[in-house]
Amino acid sequence: MKKFLLSGLMFCFSFLPVMAENIHFDDGVYKLKSVDNDNSKIENEYYKDGENEESWTSKVEIIYHPDVSNPLKYASDMDKKISTKENLLLLKFVQNKKLDIAVLTYLENELKDDCACFIYNVLKYEKHPDKGIMVLRFAKKYIVNSNEDIKRIANEVKLINDDYMERIIISPIPPIVKENIN
């Protein structure tokens, strides 16, 4: 009887949908809201409750590049791209060649619907256990209404940058979700 009951329970649980875990970062809980799978890369976007792609204060992204093999070279190329764009400001770029991990941070300025903001980005690049590389990105948005806001944001980013880099280095990258969650 016990074997029959156990077999029945295992059969029932085998048909439950696989759900992505929530991500806990920066004292927030982020839930998977979108999956973009275009065969060259897979992106998972996580937002806090009540936030989405159009309206957010912070978010976490996990990006899987199956055809990229070297996270250090990829991060270095991103570093060079950031340095050439007018609306991006590179803050810091570090590599650990022994662990094949790179971390970079940058500020992005954006003007959307007459709303100016800065987006603080911190990204970690590392090898995927099987093939390709994984990128973990945390982004935090700051609304800019005055010059005082710019000074306040600059001071905050200066204070948090090293801490966020350390946090993202020790944060494990969750498995990628390949199929849409709807």
Side-chain angles (χ1 to χ4, degrees):
M1 180 68 175
K2 286 182 184 178
K3 285 183 183 178
F4 178 74
L5 183 59
L6 185 58
S7 297
L9 284 173
M10 289 182 70
F11 178 77
C12 289
F13 284 123
S14 66
F15 289 103
L16 290 176
V18 176
M19 302 297 284
E21 293 183 29
N22 294 336
I23 295 176
H24 298 263
F25 191 83
D26 188 37
D27 300 326
V29 178
Y30 298 84
K31 296 179 181 176
L32 182 63
K33 299 284 176 96
S34 78
V35 175
D36 183 16
N37 186 345
D38 72 3
N39 294 327
S40 68
K41 68 180 176 187
I42 302 171
E43 293 185 50
N44 294 173
E45 290 186 341
Y46 293 76
Y47 296 94
K48 292 179 179 178
D49 278 337
E51 296 186 352
N52 57 45
E53 187 175 354
E54 273 74 46
S55 175
W56 57 274
T57 56
S58 62
K59 67 179 179 176
V60 174
E61 287 181 300
I62 301 169
I63 307 160
Y64 172 54
H65 296 278
D67 298 328
V68 178
S69 60
N70 187 334
L72 300 180
K73 181 175 178 348
Y74 190 82
S76 180
D77 291 345
M78 290 302 296
D79 169 49
K80 290 174 187 155
K81 278 185 188 176
I82 290 168
S83 298
T84 63
K85 301 235 178 183
E86 281 186 21
N87 67 324
L88 305 178
L89 174 66
L90 180 69
L91 300 173
K92 204 176 242 187
F93 175 57
V94 295
Q95 302 180 64
N96 184 322
K97 293 182 181 181
K98 289 182 182 178
L99 297 177
D100 245 358
I101 294 175
V103 175
L104 68 86
T105 58
Y106 67 94
L107 271 177
E108 175 179 359
N109 68 333
E110 180 179 89
L111 184 60
K112 186 176 181 181
D113 300 327
D114 293 329
C115 180
C117 64
F118 284 117
I119 302 171
Y120 169 72
N121 296 278
V122 56
L123 297 95
K124 174 172 75 169
Y125 303 84
E126 68 181 32
K127 279 190 170 287
H128 185 276
D130 298 324
K131 176 187 173 194
I133 69 166
M134 299 289 288
V135 180
L136 176 61
R137 174 183 176 225
F138 172 76
K140 184 173 182 178
K141 188 183 287 187
Y142 297 91
I143 305 298
V144 178
N145 293 312
S146 68
N147 286 340
E148 289 303 312
D149 288 341
I150 294 171
K151 290 176 189 175
R152 179 186 50 79
I153 293 165
N155 286 330
E156 180 176 328
V157 168
K158 184 178 176 182
L159 290 173
I160 66 171
N161 193 47
D162 287 342
D163 180 45
Y164 275 59
M165 290 180 80
E166 289 176 22
R167 287 184 197 196
I168 207 157
I169 287 169
I170 63 172
S171 294
I173 300 178
I176 198 80
V177 176
K178 295 180 181 179
E179 296 173 5
N180 212 332
I181 54 171
N182 295 333

